[in-house]
Amino acid sequence: MDLLKEKIAQEGKVLSDTVLKVDSFLNHQIDPLLMREIGEEFANRFKDEVITKILTIESSGIAPATMLGLTIGAEVVFARKKKSLTLSGNLYTSQVYSFTKQETNEISVSKDFLSPDDNVLIIDDFLANGEAVKGLLDIAKQAGCKIVGVGIVIEKGFQNGGKVLREQGIRVESLAIIKSLKNNTIEFAE
C-alpha cells in the first residue's frame, strides 16, 4: 500500500534495528484519512471472505479495525489488556508477551461477543514476533470461531512472526512489510 509506505518513510522514526516509531499517525496520534484508506485496503484484500467480527487488541489495533468495520459493516471486538470492574467472569483469556514493553499481559474478551457462528478477521497494527496475534488466535479458537485470516498494518519482515503464522496455514495480509531497519534506514520488502 503506497500511501502507507510513504507515510512510514516520511514520519517513521527508526529507534533501533528492531524498533520503528510511528506514533505520529498510528500508535499515539491517528491520521483518520490514512486509517480510512487502510480499512478500505483490508476490505479489498479480504473481499472473498464472509466476516462477521473483527478481533483486535487494545489500543493501536482499534483504529484500523474500526475503519474496516465501517467499510464492511462488521462489528469490532477488542481484547483488553487490563481487567475492569465491568469486565469480570465469563471471559476468554490468553497470555501475550510484549517485546516492546518487556512484559506479559493477560488479554481478555467477554464470551458475550464471540461465538462459534462468527467468521473472525484479526487486525493489528504491528506484526513482529507474532505474540499478540497468537493470543488473539487463541481467544478466537476458544470461542470456536472460524478464523478467516490476519490483517496487519506494518509487518517487521525481518522478525519471524509472519513466517511462523504463514507456515501454520494462516492467511496473513500485511499492508507494508519492513525488510530492514539497519543503519537507521527503513527498507521495504517488495
Side-chain angles (χ1 to χ4, degrees):
M1 184 176 165
D2 291 337
L3 180 61
L4 176 60
K5 288 180 182 177
E6 288 169 18
K7 196 79 161 173
I8 293 167
Q10 290 169 1
E11 297 182 30
K13 294 180 176 79
V14 178
L15 299 184
S16 74
D17 286 356
T18 59
V19 179
L20 174 65
K21 185 176 179 179
V22 289
D23 64 349
S24 67
F25 61 90
L26 181 61
N27 296 119
H28 193 65
Q29 174 173 270
I30 295 171
D31 179 336
L33 297 176
L34 176 63
M35 285 305 116
R36 182 175 60 198
E37 294 293 323
I38 285 170
E40 290 171 0
E41 181 65 20
F42 280 134
N44 185 52
R45 291 192 186 199
F46 288 96
K47 67 184 175 207
D48 57 327
E49 300 287 351
V50 174
I51 299 163
T52 60
K53 294 277 173 78
I54 301 161
L55 180 61
T56 191
I57 191 167
E58 67 177 350
S59 63
S60 298
I62 295 173
T66 299
M67 290 307 204
L68 171 60
L70 278 170
T71 303
I72 66 172
E75 293 176 327
V76 176
V77 177
F78 63 90
R80 291 182 177 251
K81 293 179 185 174
K82 302 225 183 293
K83 290 198 173 144
S84 70
L85 292 175
T86 62
L87 189 71
S88 61
N90 207 27
L91 303 173
Y92 299 114
T93 63
S94 190
Q95 298 293 313
V96 174
Y97 180 75
S98 169
F99 287 89
T100 307
K101 296 178 182 168
Q102 300 287 301
E103 65 184 22
T104 299
N105 289 299
E106 181 177 78
I107 62 170
S108 54
V109 170
S110 171
K111 290 184 177 180
D112 295 336
F113 301 129
L114 292 174
S115 78
D117 296 330
D118 284 316
N119 296 327
V120 171
L121 176 60
I122 292 171
I123 296 290
D124 205 6
D125 61 336
F126 269 96
L127 175 59
N129 294 299
E131 295 299 311
V133 171
K134 287 178 200 169
L136 293 170
L137 286 166
D138 180 37
I139 284 174
K141 287 176 186 172
Q142 288 176 51
C145 301
K146 177 186 177 211
I147 299 159
V148 301
V150 175
I152 300 296
V153 178
I154 302 169
E155 177 180 342
K156 294 178 183 177
F158 54 87
Q159 291 178 289
N160 70 349
K163 179 178 182 272
V164 169
L165 293 170
R166 290 178 181 98
E167 286 173 352
Q168 293 174 2
I170 297 167
R171 178 179 176 188
V172 179
E173 294 284 341
S174 298
L175 303 187
I177 301 177
I178 306 294
K179 182 178 178 182
S180 173
L181 295 173
K182 290 183 178 168
N183 301 318
N184 211 31
T185 302
I186 301 167
E187 183 182 351
F188 293 99
E190 294 307 316

